[in-house]
Amino acid sequence: MITATIFNHAGGAGKTSITRDVGYQFAQAGLRVLLVDLDPQANLSSWLGVRNVSIDATVYDLATTGAPLPEPVEAHGLHVIPSQVDLALAETGMLGVPGSQLFLRQALEQVRDRYDVVLIDSPPSVGQLAILGAVAADRLIVPVPTRQKGLDALPGLQKATALYRRMRPELTVALYVPTLYNDRRSHDREVLDMLRGGLSPSPHPCRSARPCGWTAPWTAARSACTLPAVPCTATCCASRPRWRVSWA
């Protein structure tokens, strides 16, 4: 099982879109996929049609007491642990609970045999829920808008990542994903050049001018997986089902 957290402490970077679309394409390729919505705004849950859930269906009890994962909801071939607005209360509920930031990581270990891939949609913050998601991950996927906003967020991203590595030293960034990119805009091209010059691994953009795909940083036996871009309306995944995923 591979666990990736899609993280950026700034909102509007494309975290939820990546979580939804990549998770769906993995499921279409035959993988067993679990999506975990840690954002109290619950956009991922809502986009998948999972609405009006109780607080018990979220990670609230897990985050605050170390309870097991709640039973996931099935949607579009995916298993989803949804969110709702009251999950924000977990931010204070986790404070003063020793080891609470490790609870999700520990709970996922108990379902390792049930899933091939777990994707965690992190909230746009550096609070307790964001730490919960980051520490549970094997790798981080970081969307960065090709706007001034994206550049301004980089120092905070690097500080947050350094903090998470103090709790999990082996945690690394698997992929930076430039989002909102349009190669017809000179500003977008300039920002992309700056991102490529300052980030590793080197970012590969998602161009909004036309449907496109990007190659994921993980490979499959005898087959590389090409996943949809953000935004992307094309069905890009040509991999055959039942291959094993591993980090490159």
Side-chain angles (χ1 to χ4, degrees), residues 33-188:
V33 180
L34 174 66
L35 304 184
V36 182
D37 192 350
L38 292 186
D39 188 349
Q41 297 179 79
N43 287 326
L44 175 64
S45 304
S46 179
W47 286 355
L48 291 171
V50 183
R51 304 182 179 92
N52 302 318
V53 300
S54 71
I55 191 69
D56 295 335
T58 74
V59 300
Y60 180 84
D61 287 340
L62 179 155
T64 57
T65 69
L69 282 171
E71 190 64 26
V73 177
E74 292 191 30
H76 307 286
L78 303 159
H79 281 190
V80 183
I81 296 179
S83 181
Q84 56 118 293
V85 65
D86 289 339
L87 181 59
L89 299 174
E91 292 282 354
T92 55
M94 292 174 65
L95 295 174
V97 179
S100 61
Q101 296 164 343
L102 298 173
F103 285 164
L104 180 57
R105 178 182 175 185
Q106 293 165 350
L108 289 174
E109 285 294 324
Q110 303 304 311
V111 298
R112 173 170 291 276
D113 294 338
R114 292 176 56 185
Y115 298 105
D116 300 305
V117 179
V118 177
L119 298 178
I120 301 171
D121 187 21
S122 179
S125 72
V126 289
Q128 297 297 306
L129 289 171
I131 297 173
L132 183 77
V135 175
D138 299 309
R139 300 288 187 273
L140 299 177
I141 296 175
V142 181
V144 184
T146 52
R147 303 288 190 271
Q148 186 61 43
K149 173 184 177 180
L151 293 177
D152 292 343
L154 286 178
L157 276 171
Q158 293 167 342
K159 289 179 181 178
T161 303
L163 171 64
Y164 302 153
R165 284 177 180 150
R166 292 177 64 183
M167 292 179 280
R168 189 164 186 183
E170 67 273 24
L171 182 66
T172 60
V173 175
L175 182 69
Y176 289 96
V177 185
T179 57
L180 309 180
Y181 179 73
N182 187 332
D183 58 9
R184 295 174 294 184
R185 290 168 48 100
S186 60
H187 178 67
D188 286 26

Side-chain angles (χ1 to χ4, degrees), residues 220-233:
R222 296 187 234 170
S223 177
C225 182
T226 301
L227 299 173
V230 181
C232 178
T233 58

